[in-house]
Amino acid sequence: MLDPNTIAKEAIEEAEKAESSRALYEVKMKYLGRGGTVTSLLKNMREVPPEERPAFGKAVNFLRDTLEAHFASLEEKLKEKETLQKLAEERIDVTLPGKKRDMGAIHPVTRVKNELVDLFMGLGFEVFDGPEIESEYYNFTALNTPADHPARDMQDTFYITNEFLLRTQTSAGQIRVMESKKPPIKIVSPGRTFRSDDDATHSPMFHQMEGLVVDKGITLCDLYGTLEEFARTMFSPSVKTRLRPSYFPFTEPSVEVDISCFACGGKGCSLCKGTGWIEVLGAGMVNRRVLENCGIDPDEYTGFAFGIGLERIAMLKYGVNNIKLFTENDVRFLKQFRD
Ligand code: DAH
């Protein structure tokens, strides 16, 4: 049987060598744990002669209490040391420069679209979203452009099948709206359009925003007033608007809309090619045949429509000279549109 004093000495020596609270815990378990040295002393009490038992019991209890107190004070010191160590390791240098995160910017075409939607919603228009894959009927036939119509050549179409194509114009949405809704109608319809066309100002995928108003007594004056508001808001309050006769199968009369050059004030410069005017969009009074195709009586209702090329507006507004810049995703270009 081991002598309690020897055990005490050994246990204390071992405990003092422990360099972490974890190691100390192991020493503690070795002596005071369930199968530990001190605990087994008490368990083996039977081996002690009966007359020595009280003294032995007292000595072992004293040993246990002493060790417990000693371990506790060592543990406290180790824990404190460990906390300080942890704090030192986790120290943050708040003077280090932060990580720079680059902010994105709204794409200029999206920006133009948002501005236009805001403007037209303010004038009481609703937004209609038409499909990008259209049938020939909606994209052409119902818009008074039958199969043999020369105006079909104005737009180089991507056909998917004989019947389906990628819409060449958001005008297709006009028909969908008029088929499903009775006048008064007042919508704009922004979206992607597609044509087999590719140069500095044309891209196979581009964006348009269609406008359509149908009601009793709508005249060309209403169109003019709406477009003046558009030109003033998008370009400058001093910009003038003029309508020039043109041709589109779905409008009669049809007009081309020019604005006075906002760069030179109309004197003539490189932007307006010396004319003082810049062509911005096509428009007109909805052709009676188009109204008829949608079951709207052209003797009761009239309407106007317009189609805005969003890239064209963005190029003019931001002085972009090549349409490809919009789809190249060069961050140096896009960054210039940050707020
Ligand atoms: N859809 C025509 C185009 O893509 C633009 C256009 C012209 C739309 C006159 C209209 C309009 O609604 O009335 O070239």
Side-chain angles (χ1 to χ4, degrees):
M1 172 84 50
L2 282 163
D3 160 39
N5 280 331
T6 320
I7 297 176
K9 222 176 127 213
E10 262 177 35
I12 287 170
E13 259 173 30
E14 266 181 61
E16 278 174 356
K17 273 193 218 137
E19 276 178 2
S20 67
S21 52
R22 176 80 225 160
L24 177 67
Y25 178 79
E26 259 146 41
V27 177
K28 190 171 156 185
M29 285 302 110
K30 182 174 164 197
Y31 290 93
L32 302 178
R34 244 177 228 220
T37 319
V38 177
T39 323
S40 47
L41 279 181
L42 289 171
K43 279 191 195 145
N44 298 335
M45 193 76 125
R46 263 178 282 113
E47 291 165 24
V48 180
E51 64 280 9
E52 284 175 26
R53 278 183 200 163
F56 183 78
K58 229 176 144 184
V60 175
N61 280 337
F62 179 74
L63 169 64
R64 194 190 52 211
D65 294 347
T66 312
L67 287 184
E68 257 168 16
H70 197 73
F71 289 159
S73 90
L74 282 176
E75 189 180 347
E76 203 179 312
K77 277 188 211 137
L78 284 172
K79 283 253 161 82
E80 198 182 305
K81 189 184 95 187
E82 281 164 2
T83 308
L84 289 175
Q85 222 167 27
K86 202 164 170 222
L87 287 175
E89 274 164 20
E90 289 176 4
R91 194 184 136 87
I92 300 169
D93 184 353
V94 290
T95 65
L96 280 175
K99 280 197 186 123
K100 210 170 147 209
R101 280 179 206 279
D102 249 353
M103 284 287 286
I106 295 184
H107 191 279
V109 173
T110 307
R111 188 182 272 257
V112 164
K113 184 194 88 177
N114 291 347
E115 280 180 32
L116 287 174
V117 166
D118 261 10
L119 159 68
F120 285 109
M121 278 177 66
L123 296 176
F125 285 70
E126 285 175 81
V127 177
F128 172 78
D129 191 19
E132 290 173 4
I133 295 178
E134 264 299 4
S135 70
E136 190 163 40
Y137 177 78
Y138 286 101
N139 194 80
F140 289 125
T141 316
L143 286 162
N144 195 33
T145 321
D148 54 357
H149 199 288
R152 284 217 186 175
D153 299 340
M154 283 162 73
Q155 302 174 0
D156 293 313
T157 309
F158 290 118
Y159 278 87
I160 295 170
T161 64
N162 273 343
E163 191 188 352
F164 292 102
L165 46 82
L166 296 180
R167 68 174 171 194
T168 60
Q169 48 190 355
T170 45
S171 308
Q174 284 188 28
I175 306 300
R176 292 188 176 271
V177 171
M178 287 191 279
E179 273 182 358
S180 62
K181 198 171 174 311
K182 292 289 143 235
I185 289 168
K186 210 171 171 187
I187 60 103
V188 283
S189 182
R192 285 197 284 193
T193 43
F194 307 85
R195 288 182 204 178
S196 180
D197 216 350
D198 205 1
D199 61 35
T201 54
H202 296 88
S203 148
M205 187 283 290
F206 60 107
H207 296 76
Q208 288 189 334
M209 182 183 284
E210 197 74 9
L212 174 71
V213 173
V214 183
D215 202 354
K216 286 181 181 157
I218 298 292
T219 68
L220 199 66
C221 274
D222 297 310
L223 170 65
Y224 191 51
T226 306
L227 294 176
E228 268 194 321
E229 185 64 23
F230 151 81
R232 288 183 189 144
T233 311
M234 288 308 279
F235 296 101
S236 138
S238 59
V239 149
K240 289 195 201 63
T241 310
R242 87 177 175 189
L243 307 182
R244 247 181 320 114
S246 184
Y247 173 77
F248 297 102
F250 32 88
T251 42
E252 181 57 39
S254 302
V255 293
E256 212 72 63
V257 182
D258 297 340
I259 57 168
S260 60
C261 182
F262 49 85
C264 64
K267 284 192 221 86
C269 66
S270 61
L271 181 67
C272 58
K273 299 191 187 84
T275 65
W277 294 92
I278 301 169
E279 184 182 312
V280 285
L281 60 102
M285 297 305 289
V286 182
N287 193 310
R288 355 183 351 114
R289 292 212 197 153
V290 174
L291 293 173
E292 275 164 10
N293 288 343
C294 302
I296 294 174
D297 181 357
D299 293 322
E300 197 182 349
Y301 294 104
T302 51
F304 68 74
F306 55 85
I308 308 176
L310 301 189
E311 279 81 358
R312 170 143 182 83
I313 302 297
M315 287 174 84
L316 286 172
K317 208 174 146 90
Y318 302 121
V320 176
N321 59 11
N322 194 317
I323 198 167
K324 301 294 177 290
L325 287 164
F326 292 132
T327 42
E328 273 171 355
N329 273 339
D330 186 331
V331 285
R332 291 168 305 177
F333 171 72
L334 297 171
K335 267 184 182 171
Q336 298 176 66
F337 299 92
R338 270 202 297 231
D339 282 318

